[in-house]
Amino acid sequence: MRFDVHVPLRWADMDAYRHVNHARTVTLLEEARVDLVFRRAAHEGVGDWSGGLFVAGLQVDYKRQIAYEGQSVRVSLWTGQVRAASFMLHYEVRTGASMDDPVAVTAQTQMVPFDLSANRPRRLTDAEREFLARWADDAAQGVNAS
C-alpha cells in the first residue's frame, strides 16, 4: 500500500530554467515524508520518531522535468527494507496531482531512528515496525532498487 500526499509547488521552487530544481525536489520529498512519519504516525499513536529520525542516505533519479505551473505534485511513498535500526522510504513524484500525470522523479531515503538524548541511533520499536509494515508495497520494491 502506498501513502499519497499532494505537495503544493511554490513560485520559489522554480529555477532560472522554469522547472523545479534539485534542492527544491528534495524538499518536496521531505514534506511528503513528514506527512507520513510524523503526522500520520502520530495520528495512529506512533510518536517515537519525534525524538529523532534522520536521513542516512538519499538517491534521486530524474525521469522528466517538473514545470512550475502553480500546481501541486503527487508524491507516493512506500516502505521497504525494514531492519532493526533503519528502513527505506521509496518515492514517486508526479508532475501534477493526478495518478495520470507522468512520474518525474523516483527516489529513496534510508532512514535511521535516533535517540537525541543519548546522541546515537536506536532500534525501531514494535509499534514503528507495525506502522511501516502497513505502508510496504511489495509490488513496487523494484522501482528504485539499484
Side-chain angles (χ1 to χ4, degrees):
M1 185 160 80
R2 293 186 181 196
F3 180 81
D4 290 314
V5 61
H6 296 116
V7 181
L9 294 180
R10 295 157 299 259
W11 184 83
D13 294 335
M14 180 176 52
D15 65 13
Y17 302 108
R18 292 186 280 181
H19 66 265
V20 178
N21 73 21
H22 171 73
R24 296 300 189 164
T25 300
V26 172
T27 299
L28 298 174
L29 300 175
E30 178 182 32
E31 289 180 30
R33 181 173 60 248
V34 164
D35 270 1
L36 177 62
V37 298
F38 291 107
R39 291 186 187 111
R40 181 64 179 253
H43 177 74
E44 294 187 19
V46 183
D48 292 334
W49 286 314
S50 62
L53 182 65
F54 71 87
V55 176
L58 167 69
Q59 177 182 331
V60 182
D61 295 306
Y62 296 93
K63 309 301 181 190
R64 64 178 52 229
Q65 295 180 6
I66 302 173
Y68 173 78
E69 298 170 349
Q71 79 277 25
S72 291
V73 293
R74 181 187 202 104
V75 183
S76 298
L77 295 89
W78 65 95
T79 62
Q81 301 174 12
V82 177
R83 309 275 192 251
S86 71
F87 60 94
M88 280 294 200
L89 285 178
H90 301 270
Y91 310 77
E92 281 183 348
V93 181
R94 297 187 179 276
T95 58
S98 169
M99 283 300 288
D100 295 331
D101 288 314
V103 173
V105 176
T106 59
Q108 59 187 17
T109 52
Q110 181 182 14
M111 306 301 300
V112 175
F114 200 79
D115 182 336
L116 292 173
S117 61
N119 196 32
R120 63 177 175 81
R122 66 166 179 81
R123 290 181 156 316
L124 288 164
T125 67
D126 289 341
E128 290 167 340
R129 293 176 76 73
E130 289 172 17
F131 176 81
L132 294 170
R134 283 197 298 276
W135 299 106
D137 187 344
D138 295 334
Q141 288 303 322
V143 170
N144 291 330
S146 6

